[in-house]
Amino acid sequence: MTAQSQSASALMPVFVRLKLSLLKNGLRQSSGRRAAYITSAVLALLFAALQLLGLILLRGTPHASTLTVLLVALMAVGWAVMPLFFPSGDETLDPTRLVMLPLRPRPLVGALLVASLVGIGPLFTLCLVLGSAIAVAHGIGAALTAVLAVPLALLVCLALARAVAAANTRLLTSRKGRDLAVLSGLVIAIGFQFVNFGARRLGDAGGLSALDPVAKVVRWLPPGAAIGAVDSVGAGAYGRAAAQLLLTLAALGLLLYAWQGSLVKLMTTPDGSTLAASDASRKESSGKGLAALLPEGRTGTVMLRTLRYAWRDPKTKAAWITSLAVGLIVPVFNALQGAGTVYFACFATGMLGMQMYNQFGQDTSAFWMVLLTISSTRDAYLELRARALALLLVTLPYTLLVTGVTAGMLGDWPKLPEVMGLALALLGAMMATGSVASATLAYSIPQDSRKNVAPGQGGIAFLSILGGMVVSAVLCAPVIALAIWLHVSGTHGALWLLLPLGAVYGVLIGWAGLKVAAPRAASRLPEILTAVSTG
């Protein structure tokens, strides 16, 4: 036995005890955390047991092989992406904590892999893989193959998660990593939309048989190949089964090698993120890039600051990306399902228009620096106008894009000018109501939690957003009434006039909203500072 193998065997029980100690100490921190963990563990184990039973009952059905191979592949994808979104869920995922210890990467890989078997996630995955193997195992040979295939598939999932986490450790511990964690809810929500859409398409296509071509490819991709090997032995294709097992084993070896390489890099190379950050700061301060395209003076400065907040601040970035994604998903998915209309494009305008609300709350306690630059109603007007212009840099082309894509997918191009005019009128109305709401109903956005409203300010946020949306709809009533009248009177040839009229109306109503909001903001600066600094 070599020295490295002895070291690895000695490290394994140590790291298992370390994992258990971290878990136990984490549960001791608070009763709420302990209750949440126990509840989630019970629900996960219950779902795993029901899933195992369902897969066993699937045994002998025509499409059992297709479903099980795809389920295992989908589980592997989940293991690959979860470390990117929830890096703090397992302290042992961060190998930089072990850099100062006298440990070699190769035995460390083995010890961490064994420690990874401890937890609810591995047990849940084991139930899914075991149930999938039972569902397709027909005969003694297939059962014996499953004895090898099940742990092999489980180890591939764990090694994949560890390799991804180790390769992105520096990212996950940086500001960009925290951005990924904030955006995790968005990714899950979008994923559910795709699952829902896929389920409907499967129903229209006649069931799981539509997935057979995909499964034929996935059964050669580890860890789905391990379950494919069990099915191949049951079908008498022993050569194919051997090739699938070898592919899975090779994938495990490559993942462990990549993981070890990432550990070597983390243990021997310094972190250059601060150098990159300083270089980026020097480039931004040189006046190049976006800053050179914006107008000079206060307007350009405020626009650049607003856009930087949208790019750098995790909460603001999450709100922007959520609005962009959901605003596109709703009209596009409805169009794909044949139940859409071009008017759904206005939903995208509404989602982005909501970013104008609570403008000062996005500054949090740093608003005091903005307060020092506002000494008159004119200053407040320029501040709000510049923030609105920064939003329009994104919202205007996005509105045109979503409206054009929706009209193209539905083949309803004649309605494009009309809907675009309505969308522009709605955008102007939301700029107006958002300005007034920012000046009169400001609230704080906590930076250190997943809450978007500070405790005690939920009513203010509700009134600001919901009230603003209702008032925006009322302000758009003249343009909506004109559109309805043109349709009812049969004057369809004049509907294109809604485009210029809606654009002009949106500009005028937005300008009026800024004029109303500016004196209120200038007279309420101390109250706004107190509101946005709470929590």
Side-chain angles (χ1 to χ4, degrees), residues 220-232:
W220 288 99
L221 301 176
I227 303 302
V230 178
D231 182 57
S232 297

Side-chain angles (χ1 to χ4, degrees), residues 13 20-21 34 39 42 49 77 95 101 113 118 200 218 221 260 294 315 352 417 424 433 450 466-467 477 489-490:
L20 293 174
S21 298
R34 185 164 53 250
T39 302
V42 170
V77 173
L101 299 178
L113 183 62
V118 179
R200 292 189 180 185
V218 174
L221 301 176
Q260 179 181 334
L294 298 177
K315 290 290 183 72
L352 285 182
L424 293 176
T433 56
R450 292 184 179 271
L466 183 63
S489 64

Side-chain angles (χ1 to χ4, degrees), residues 401-457:
L401 173 66
V402 175
T403 308
V405 169
T406 307
M409 293 181 66
L410 295 172
D412 199 0
W413 292 107
K415 287 186 179 178
L416 180 61
E418 170 192 355
V419 175
M420 201 167 289
L422 292 172
L424 293 176
L426 175 62
L427 183 58
M430 297 198 77
M431 292 295 108
T433 56
S435 301
V436 176
S438 296
T440 57
L441 296 170
Y443 56 90
S444 178
I445 302 177
Q447 296 298 302
D448 299 328
S449 69
R450 292 184 179 271
K451 296 181 179 180
N452 291 321
V453 182
Q457 294 185 332

Side-chain angles (χ1 to χ4, degrees), residues 60 128 153 188 203 212 305 316 323 331 338 365 368 391 427 431 442 446 450 461 478 488 504 515 519 522 535:
L128 184 143
I188 294 173
D212 287 341
R305 184 184 69 223
T316 308
S323 299
S365 58
W368 71 270
L391 266 64
L427 183 58
M431 292 295 108
R450 292 184 179 271
V488 172
V504 172
K515 284 294 186 180

